[in-house]
Amino acid sequence: MSSHRHLRLGQALSAAFAGLPRAWKRAWGAILACAVVWSSAYLALGAVSLIWAPFGLAGSLVLIGALTRIAVSDDVTGAKRLGLGLAGLQFGLPELRLLGAALLCSVFMAMILSVVALLLLAVFGMAGLDAEAINQRNWAAVGPVWRLSLLAVVTVFAFYGVLVMVVRLSLFAPATLGRGHMVSLNSMGIAQGSFWPLLGGLLVVGLPKFVLLVLTGGGLLSGLLGWTVWAVVLSGLEAPLTMAFLGAAYRQLEYWTPQGATHD
């Protein structure tokens, strides 16, 4: 079964921004815990990082689990029915399902990236470019303009294909909690036909991260203070906003019913 629904971007973004207060109110404990855990990561150097890693993973799963439950539910009763704990603090089978789905998506994307990289290497190898000219940054002597233009087009299409995969997989978390079982690659079917609205929405809700990148690149955020600001903004603003948007998008696009359930 496939979805023929299309994402209404404006409605999903409105729901995402309107859902921020609800996320802060219902998942403040998970937000605080994740911010504290990730702030401490700056101090986890060397062997200490091995001790910190499980806490970082657990904190992230708790936060994403809480925010996703809130985003895919009509109200707090529905979120609690999906397992939302007090202040968003819970860790159970749904969190493990999220971890499993994320790992499957990561393995799939690693395979795709490997294939794309090998294809690009093969194409560039057959193009007969002047390696010495590339090393010397003498672009005029690298090769004919038409050949370079063709390679640029091939590269753009390759990266576009990877971007399509990433965006279409982005609904795996709301689908996993919304359907009650692990959903990884099947999430691409939910997003079918809505690549551009999803991409546009992700770019909008990703603006806080972009601001952080600009501030960091300008040298305004550095050291422990900069790391802490990143942890707080990502946990308290970026994650709630992103999951609220993905949850709203999922609710619009979902076509699955328990009677027609198919597991990954």
Side-chain angles (χ1 to χ4, degrees):
M1 186 175 181
S2 61
S3 171
H4 297 288
R5 302 184 182 185
H6 296 282
L7 177 62
R8 296 181 293 277
L9 178 57
Q11 183 177 331
L13 284 174
S14 296
F17 285 99
L20 266 180
R22 188 162 64 125
W24 289 335
K25 181 180 180 180
R26 301 299 178 187
W28 64 266
I31 292 172
L32 179 61
C34 193
V36 170
V37 169
W38 277 96
S39 295
S40 65
Y42 186 84
L43 305 176
L45 302 175
V48 180
S49 61
L50 297 177
I51 301 175
W52 172 88
F55 294 96
L57 177 61
S60 299
L61 287 173
V62 168
L63 178 61
I64 298 303
L67 295 175
T68 304
R69 286 178 174 90
I70 295 169
V72 301
S73 303
D74 293 322
D75 49 33
V76 65
T77 302
K80 288 181 177 179
R81 193 179 300 117
L82 292 177
L84 180 69
L86 180 64
L89 296 171
Q90 70 291 299
F91 193 95
L93 184 56
E95 278 69 32
L96 296 179
R97 289 173 179 153
L98 283 176
L99 177 59
L103 289 175
L104 287 174
C105 290
S106 298
V107 170
F108 175 73
M109 285 310 306
M111 294 170 60
I112 294 296
L113 287 172
S114 299
V115 171
V116 169
L118 289 174
L119 288 175
L120 287 177
L121 285 174
V123 170
F124 275 79
M126 292 185 294
L129 302 180
D130 190 332
E132 186 61 30
I134 296 176
N135 291 332
Q136 296 176 359
R137 304 293 190 273
N138 183 9
W139 306 117
V142 171
V145 175
W146 68 267
R147 190 177 297 172
L148 295 176
S149 300
L150 182 59
L151 290 174
V153 171
V154 171
T155 302
V156 168
F157 272 103
F159 281 104
Y160 170 73
V162 172
L163 182 61
V164 169
M165 294 290 186
V166 171
V167 172
R168 289 186 62 185
L169 285 170
S170 63
L171 296 179
F172 80 88
T176 293
L177 290 184
R179 294 184 177 185
H181 64 263
M182 191 169 66
V183 179
S184 55
L185 304 187
N186 282 357
S187 63
M188 290 193 290
I190 306 173
Q192 184 177 353
S194 297
F195 165 73
W196 290 109
L198 272 174
L199 177 61
L202 288 172
L203 290 175
V204 172
V205 298
L207 287 177
K209 189 186 299 182
F210 175 75
V211 172
L212 289 176
L213 287 171
V214 172
L215 294 176
T216 302
L220 299 178
L221 290 178
S222 60
L224 178 59
L225 175 61
W227 185 277
T228 302
V229 171
W230 268 87
V232 171
V233 173
L234 291 183
S235 300
L237 182 59
E238 179 66 29
L241 196 55
T242 300
M243 296 316 302
F245 169 72
L246 292 176
Y250 166 75
R251 289 166 60 116
Q252 284 190 33
L253 298 172
E254 178 61 291
Y255 58 86
W256 177 88
T257 58
Q259 291 77 15
T262 56
H263 292 257
D264 276 358

